[in-house]
Amino acid sequence: MAGSRLSRWFDRKGWSDLIVGAPYIWLLVFFLLPFLVVVAMSVATKTSTAPPISWGGEVPLVSWEAYARVFGDGLYLRAFLTSVLNAAVAMVLCLLIGYPMALGLVRVAPAWRNILLMLVILPFWTSFLLRVYAWMGLMGRNSWFNGMLTDAWNVLVPVDWAVRSIPMMNTNFAVVLVMVYTYLPFMILPLYASLERLDPTLDEAAMDLGSKPARVFWDVTLPQSIPGIIAGGMLVFIPAAGELVIPTLVGNASSPMIGRVISDEFAQARDWPMASAVAVVLLLMMVVPTMLYSHFQARAEGSK
């Protein structure tokens, strides 16, 4: 009897509830619970144990020392600032490069569209580390890429400013360059999805009323693509701000990004409370603006 009731419940409502609740279960198990563990470690006290934390006993149950160091130590503040600036520059460059590409994908002939979309995602078929190492070779002092940029520099600047090679490796320039290359598809694809949904008759109507193409773009196309711009910006900025591999391989060790600082605190300094506090602050910096945007976006759509 109980088995038949359970079967009828699944037939009527259970499967739909299970499917709807699956994403929430996923977030609970793989995001919320690990995040709570990290928060708990961030308010613990460092000890000589492994993991090097302890709650209660001879040390305080809750310690805010790690958070005081996050906001009081110049090392962490500079790392946060470097991360935000590099991620913001990479996001803006991805937008400037990706928007024309996404617009071209929308307006190209349908026969070419799938081929061009495949070319956009083609780098993902190659190992991420292999692509970063390829850029390390390109930015070396003796590479053809460096030589080409050096020749262009020497042509454009006075003789007194001429150089034999441009130092690109271990600089923020290298970090931003590789991040733009890596995250550019994350900007193009949301922009393409947003632009593809636009009604082309609106552009035609504006031109019929006498607007020039540039004016049509600024007054009609660009405002309607703002959701795609915001989505692409978040997809680029959030992972770029916490990037670890790219700054480690091509960045400057004296000016680390926050991902490198967290890794060093965990692996080398073995200061798990400090690393956890930095990770919590970084996560809040990324998640809170995203949640606020989603909230106000939902309210705006609901008001319509």
Side-chain angles (χ1 to χ4, degrees):
M1 188 69 176
S4 61
R5 290 180 180 177
L6 182 62
S7 177
R8 287 196 300 270
W9 180 82
F10 269 103
D11 290 339
R12 295 175 183 175
K13 187 179 179 182
W15 288 115
S16 61
D17 290 345
L18 185 61
I19 293 173
V20 172
Y24 296 99
I25 297 174
W26 178 276
L27 290 174
L28 174 65
V29 175
F30 294 103
F31 174 75
L32 183 59
L33 292 181
F35 176 69
L36 292 178
V37 172
V38 173
V39 172
M41 286 194 296
S42 70
V43 296
T45 303
K46 178 183 177 182
T47 66
S48 58
T49 59
I53 54 176
S54 177
W55 291 278
E58 298 179 357
V59 295
L61 180 62
V62 175
S63 174
W64 301 102
E65 179 184 355
Y67 288 98
R69 288 175 58 193
V70 169
F71 296 105
D73 194 324
L75 168 66
Y76 304 106
L77 296 178
R78 286 193 301 271
F80 275 114
L81 181 61
T82 301
S83 301
V84 171
L85 288 178
N86 287 347
V89 172
M91 179 187 67
V92 172
L93 292 176
C94 284
L95 177 61
L96 295 177
I97 299 171
Y99 200 102
M101 295 178 67
L103 194 60
L105 286 171
V106 172
R107 298 183 177 179
V108 76
W112 288 95
R113 191 170 299 169
N114 291 334
I115 297 175
L116 295 176
L117 282 172
M118 184 188 68
L119 293 177
V120 170
I121 65 174
L122 189 62
F124 291 119
W125 297 2
T126 308
S127 169
F128 170 68
L129 280 177
L130 183 61
R131 287 182 279 140
V132 177
Y133 276 111
W135 272 108
M136 292 173 65
L138 287 174
M139 290 185 292
R141 290 182 178 273
N142 298 322
S143 69
W144 65 267
F145 181 72
N146 195 318
M148 180 183 65
L149 293 182
T150 301
D151 292 340
W153 171 270
N154 291 334
V155 169
L156 297 175
V157 302
V159 178
D160 295 340
W161 291 79
V163 294
R164 296 183 60 183
S165 64
I166 300 176
M168 290 188 287
M169 280 294 297
N170 304 121
T171 62
N172 284 330
F173 168 80
V175 173
V176 172
L177 176 63
V178 180
M179 286 199 301
V180 169
Y181 164 77
T182 302
Y183 294 113
L184 183 59
F186 292 95
M187 179 65 76
I188 294 175
L189 296 178
L191 285 172
Y192 169 76
S194 179
L195 292 169
E196 190 184 27
R197 292 195 295 266
L198 301 185
D199 188 356
T201 59
L202 296 176
D203 293 351
E204 297 173 1
M207 287 188 288
D208 289 341
L209 293 173
S211 294
K212 296 181 179 180
R215 193 68 181 177
V216 172
F217 171 78
W218 285 106
D219 292 344
V220 180
T221 305
L222 184 62
Q224 295 184 89
S225 62
I226 288 178
I229 294 174
I230 296 176
M234 289 182 176
L235 288 176
V236 172
F237 181 83
I238 292 175
E243 180 61 52
L244 169 63
V245 176
I246 295 175
T248 301
L249 294 179
V250 303
N252 187 357
S254 63
S255 180
M257 291 180 61
I258 200 64
R260 175 71 180 272
V261 172
I262 295 174
S263 176
D264 290 345
E265 291 288 353
F266 269 120
Q268 297 181 13
R270 296 189 59 79
D271 192 344
W272 287 32
M274 190 69 235
S276 300
V278 176
V280 169
V281 174
L282 176 63
L283 183 64
L284 293 178
M285 286 177 56
M286 301 296 107
V287 171
V288 171
T290 304
M291 294 178 63
L292 290 176
Y293 166 74
S294 300
H295 173 71
F296 288 113
Q297 184 71 13
R299 288 185 58 183
E301 293 179 356
S303 63
K304 295 179 181 179

